[in-house]
Amino acid sequence: MPFREKIAWLSAGGILVAFGPYFALVAMRQPITALGPATATGFLAAIVTLVAVITVASIIVALTNLRDAQQPSDERDRAISRRALAFAYPVLLTALFAALATLFLGAGESVLVNAVLGAIVLGELTRCGVEILGYRARA
């Protein structure tokens, strides 16, 4: 498995580990009416978890595959990355417009903020997923 594919898997896993529980807790808190200390604490915990998981896992993968980690990205890697971004960008924009539509449906600021955060997470998961598929298709 190429080094950059491993990093894409780690990124997708880290996002799911960090933001899965956050969105589960937000969804269980009904009604979602206001941003408060609990939401801020959950968000900060998700960010710290994401950074810690990806940093530690990336260091471990890089140290176990030092030669692969030091290689510059080649044309194949750049093509996979461009394709992943080309898929993720429309997903991100569509999800952001859907998040903004919550305002017209009468949702509050907390719903809007979490919908925008969800759009960003969805876009990043799409990018990671397309990168993984790109490496799998060419393997």
Side-chain angles (χ1 to χ4, degrees), residues 40-114:
T41 302
F43 176 73
L44 288 175
I47 294 296
V48 168
T49 301
L50 178 65
V51 169
V53 166
I54 290 178
T55 301
V56 170
S58 296
I59 289 171
I60 292 170
V61 168
L63 289 176
T64 58
N65 300 310
L66 196 54
R67 193 169 46 98
D68 289 340
Q70 292 174 341
Q71 295 294 324
S73 61
D74 59 9
E75 185 57 36
R76 174 180 169 232
D77 295 328
R78 290 188 294 271
I80 290 171
S81 180
R82 280 191 306 268
R83 182 178 170 105
L85 289 172
F87 271 89
Y89 186 69
V91 170
L92 173 64
L93 284 181
T94 303
L96 282 175
F97 282 122
L100 290 175
T102 63
L103 287 178
F104 298 107
L105 299 173
E109 64 183 12
S110 182
V111 172
L112 174 64
V113 167
N114 284 303

